[in-house]
Amino acid sequence: MAIAFDIAVVHNCRDQMDLRRVRAIVSTTGDPAFATDERGLIVGWNRASEELMGIPAEKSIGKPCGEVLDAADECGPVCSRDCVVQRAVHRKTPLRNFDFLIPTKAGRQWCNVSVFWVDGEATGSWYAVHILRMIDIRKRMELLLADFIRGCTDLPTEQVKALISKSRTPARDSRLTARELETLQLVSRGMTTHQMAKKMGISRTTVNNHIQHLMKKLGARTRLEALRRAERAGLLPWAHDQGQ
């Protein structure tokens, strides 16, 4: 019992050392910033985040990131237990910056998010530090300009996007497999599950599995939403936007 207790105390001390280090990193930036652990729970929340969102640290730390942020992109909600950031944390792979809409004291506003990893030196755990930069006016102008160009020209969605900005969406880092990308392209052509199975030389069950996997990676609940997210992220070539 004494040995087990001592081990538990040692682990707890190491956890506290890592948390202090991560929270110190978060507190060093003047931009709104927070940190999550490998479970997606918030472990660090700086003063700038409190001022931006009106949520004190004691009401955010220990809660799931998605529950506190309730973030969305152009296609709808993006936060979940299996979001792009969490998948990247578990893979220990870099994540490019992206834009999303978050609740603030002034209402829902757009921000650009950069994420970097911090390894727990004492425990070997990993933490994701998020740094937010407000881009609300610029982002809304981009969206308005994109809608205007699409309404006045026959240019496909992704060509319009390339004209006005770089793609900044969480779905861009979904890392779909070759089969999932092929399935996505066939879905964009309006093919049924039966037609896709015949085209790909696989069973309808396997097609459905590919569809479920790519929808999960894109954070989509329907095929249409998956297509919208894929188009925003540049995962579909322009030819498919044109129905070719």
Side-chain angles (χ1 to χ4, degrees):
M1 285 291 293
I3 293 176
F5 176 76
D6 288 344
I7 292 174
V9 169
V10 169
H11 281 299
N12 184 60
C13 289
R14 288 178 174 175
D15 287 339
Q16 292 304 313
M17 288 171 57
D18 282 341
L19 287 176
R20 283 196 295 271
R21 176 168 168 260
V22 171
R23 288 169 182 167
I25 290 172
V26 169
S27 68
T28 58
T29 176
D31 290 317
F34 63 92
T36 56
D37 63 13
E38 292 177 331
R39 298 168 295 172
L41 301 180
I42 294 174
V43 297
W45 188 263
N46 72 355
R47 186 173 296 278
S49 292
E50 292 184 353
E51 294 173 353
L52 174 66
M53 289 176 267
I55 304 173
E58 59 267 23
K59 289 190 176 181
S60 61
I61 290 178
K63 291 186 177 180
C65 173
E67 181 181 312
V68 175
L69 287 185
D70 188 27
D73 64 9
E74 297 97 322
C75 301
V78 296
C79 289
S80 71
R81 293 276 188 174
D82 188 42
C83 70
V84 170
V85 175
Q86 282 303 106
R87 291 199 296 272
V89 168
H90 293 149
R91 292 194 304 260
K92 307 298 184 295
T93 55
L95 189 67
R96 291 172 289 185
N97 69 88
F98 55 87
D99 300 342
F100 64 20
L101 196 62
I102 61 171
T104 73
K105 290 192 294 186
R108 294 184 73 83
Q109 295 189 345
W110 286 97
C111 67
N112 181 257
V113 186
S114 296
V115 182
F116 65 90
W117 318 129
V118 176
D119 63 313
E121 293 180 344
T123 61
S125 299
W126 283 74
Y127 301 89
V129 174
H130 305 63
I131 300 177
L132 283 56
R133 297 179 181 85
M134 302 313 298
I135 58 165
D136 193 65
I137 295 177
R138 190 200 78 196
K139 184 68 176 184
R140 292 183 188 278
M141 289 297 293
E142 281 184 5
L143 295 175
L144 287 172
L145 181 58
D147 287 341
F148 175 77
I149 294 174
R150 280 194 294 267
C152 296
T153 70
D154 294 326
L155 293 175
T157 299
E158 284 310 311
Q159 191 170 351
V160 171
K161 184 183 295 294
L163 287 174
I164 62 174
S165 68
K166 293 181 180 179
S167 176
R168 298 185 184 91
T169 171
R172 183 182 56 183
D173 282 291
S174 297
R175 298 180 185 274
L176 302 182
T177 66
R179 269 302 204 190
E180 288 164 357
L181 282 170
E182 182 182 2
T183 302
L184 183 65
Q185 290 169 5
L186 296 181
V187 170
S188 74
R189 296 177 183 174
M191 286 191 177
T192 65
T193 302
H194 176 74
Q195 289 171 328
M196 286 189 281
K198 186 175 181 180
K199 174 76 173 177
M200 299 167 73
I202 56 180
S203 71
R204 284 181 291 181
T205 299
T206 303
V207 170
N208 283 326
N209 286 338
H210 288 322
I211 291 173
Q212 291 302 313
H213 290 158
L214 68 88
M215 285 173 58
K216 181 178 180 181
K217 289 181 179 180
L218 292 171
R221 291 177 289 275
T222 66
R223 294 189 185 191
L224 179 59
E225 187 179 354
L227 287 177
R228 289 176 62 202
R229 290 188 182 280
E231 287 172 354
R232 294 279 187 181
L235 298 175
L236 287 172
W238 296 344
H240 293 302
D241 269 352
Q242 297 171 311
Q244 297 178 2

